[in-house]
Amino acid sequence: MNTKLTLTIEKEVIKIAKEYSKERGQSLSELVENYFKLITNERRPIKPSELSPRVKRLRGIIKADKGLDYKQILTEERLKKYGK
């Protein structure tokens, strides 16, 4: 069930967010909802039926070893790219 939410956000942030959501083919509401789902993921697991069509298409296409530490790989790649 969808419920209306009123937010107070800086005008410039809204403008940029609308451009961003349009580039990605999402509504601003979808963008905000997906963000909230992302940051609250540890509190409430996302059901497969709640995933966006794009995420559903991508889900499970990458197979990785059980012991893969993606955070370590990400850190190493950032160090290579940015030297930080």
Side-chain angles (χ1 to χ4, degrees):
M1 176 176 87
N2 289 336
T3 303
K4 187 174 181 175
L5 171 67
T6 302
L7 301 172
T8 303
I9 302 173
E10 293 177 20
K11 190 178 283 191
E12 185 64 22
V13 173
I14 293 170
K15 179 183 173 195
I16 293 168
K18 284 182 178 182
E19 291 171 3
Y20 178 86
S21 66
K22 186 176 180 179
E23 289 170 5
R24 278 150 186 76
Q26 291 182 298
S27 70
L28 195 51
S29 291
E30 287 175 311
L31 188 69
V32 171
E33 181 178 350
N34 287 337
Y35 176 70
F36 285 163
K37 285 178 181 177
L38 177 69
I39 64 172
T40 60
N41 187 32
E42 293 177 9
R43 296 175 183 242
R44 182 188 67 86
I46 297 174
K47 299 172 191 166
S49 62
E50 296 175 323
L51 297 173
S52 71
R54 181 176 291 163
V55 172
K56 285 179 185 177
R57 285 194 309 270
L58 295 174
R59 190 170 187 220
I61 64 171
I62 298 175
K63 303 296 181 203
D65 297 331
K66 293 276 185 202
L68 180 72
D69 185 356
Y70 77 91
K71 289 184 179 181
Q72 178 63 34
I73 294 170
L74 182 60
T75 300
E76 291 170 2
E77 293 303 316
R78 285 183 177 157
L79 282 171
K80 286 180 195 175
K81 184 172 182 177
Y82 301 109
K84 295 180 181 179

